[in-house]
Amino acid sequence: EFDALIRTGPARLSPEEQAFLNMEVHTLCSMLDDFAIDQARDLPPHVWQYLRDHRFFGMIIPREWGGLGFSHQAHAAVVTRIATLNISAAVTVMVPNSLGPAELLMRYGTDAQKQHWLPRLAGGTELPCFGLTSPYAGSDAASIPDQGMLVEREIEGRRVRGFVVNFSKRYITLAPVATVVGLAFHAVDPSRPEGERERGITCALVPVPQPGMTIGRRHRPMNGAFMNGPIEGTDVFIPMDCIIGGEPQ
């Protein structure tokens, strides 16, 4: 339907989005010294704080949850502008607004999950990473070997359903500084008949630290200064409340 596509016209920034690009993004760019960031292998502390204070990590999160409520067009424009000064800063801003897990929460999260996580992600008090990439499957989600078995455990005197997950992730941007991991894995329900046990790929929110989960030595892809590293998990128990969307009642 090319006629319908043409009628939509080109995407344009709203006045608020353009003002943010002209003011906050312009100020951020003036704070970025490409050579100094590469030498330090990290963004300066005052840049990290500026990103949090001005909701750069919550651009796509709606205003009712504390974000800026910007379009993906605005997100792309902001990242593009930052990248003209420093790629590491651009990647740092891009990941929470693209790989998530904010958008997954907005689309599929329970009300309780939205109320807990979205304001924290928007304000930068929680910093996310997305654990998908495998050493053997890359970012091909259908091929990742990571698997979670549905079980029940007794916790504080009550039975809790959840997944015991074993996983190995690599090249996970923001992992070394993340406070919550959006973890992708294959869900398996061994109680179902054979042939129906594979429940597909799901995503969980795993707070850091977590028993059985380790964030390893930092990677430096392309010798960049942005934060990146591996995540390993051995028999990590993830209750159903941590699965995005929860469990159907």
Side-chain angles (χ1 to χ4, degrees):
E1 295 290 342
F2 282 103
D3 288 341
L5 185 63
I6 291 170
R7 282 197 301 272
T8 65
R12 290 186 173 87
L13 301 182
S14 70
E16 286 183 339
E17 292 168 342
Q18 187 64 56
F20 186 83
L21 198 65
N22 293 342
M23 296 296 295
E24 283 83 356
V25 176
H26 178 78
T27 300
L28 172 64
C29 288
S30 72
M31 300 163 67
L32 301 175
D33 183 324
D34 191 52
F35 180 77
I37 289 171
D38 280 349
Q39 290 297 300
R41 301 184 177 185
D42 193 5
L43 302 178
H46 68 279
V47 170
W48 278 106
Q49 192 59 50
Y50 185 85
L51 295 175
R52 288 182 166 92
D53 291 344
H54 294 276
R55 310 281 165 157
F56 276 83
F57 299 132
M59 284 190 289
I60 67 165
I61 295 175
R63 288 186 174 275
E64 58 263 35
W65 298 112
L68 296 178
F70 284 176
S71 64
H72 286 293
Q73 174 78 7
H75 164 221
V78 169
V79 171
T80 300
R81 181 72 61 83
I82 298 170
T84 64
L85 272 298
N86 182 256
I87 294 295
S88 295
V91 170
T92 300
V93 169
M94 178 186 68
V95 166
N97 290 288
S98 56
L99 296 179
E103 186 154 6
L104 289 173
L105 279 166
M106 291 187 297
R107 289 180 179 269
Y108 308 111
T110 65
D111 289 341
Q113 289 171 342
K114 292 175 183 177
Q115 290 169 8
H116 177 83
W117 288 110
L118 289 179
R120 292 170 169 82
L121 292 170
T125 56
E126 299 282 1
L127 197 61
C129 67
F130 189 66
L132 170 65
T133 304
S134 161
Y136 304 103
S139 297
D140 178 4
S143 300
I144 57 174
D146 314 291
Q147 196 171 83
M149 303 293 290
L150 185 62
V151 300
E152 280 194 6
R153 285 189 174 177
E154 186 170 324
I155 298 176
E156 297 179 352
R158 63 188 184 94
R159 301 295 293 178
V160 177
R161 283 167 59 84
F163 289 95
V164 173
V165 189
N166 290 281
F167 56 90
S168 176
K169 306 293 186 180
R170 187 171 293 183
Y171 301 123
I172 307 303
T173 300
L174 296 185
V177 293
T179 61
V180 59
V181 177
L183 181 69
F185 63 91
H186 285 279
V188 179
D189 183 353
S191 68
R192 287 178 171 266
E194 191 171 350
E196 299 179 12
R197 295 173 183 172
E198 298 284 342
R199 307 305 297 162
I201 298 169
T202 191
C203 186
L205 297 171
V206 186
V208 178
Q210 188 71 213
M213 183 173 74
T214 58
I215 296 178
R217 182 179 177 182
R218 180 184 172 190
H219 297 317
R220 291 200 70 201
M222 301 179 293
N223 208 34
F226 62 92
M227 291 293 170
N228 190 284
I231 306 174
E232 305 281 341
T234 303
D235 295 335
V236 179
F237 180 69
I238 301 175
M240 293 302 296
D241 285 349
C242 292
I243 303 298
I244 294 180
E247 185 174 22
Q249 299 299 317

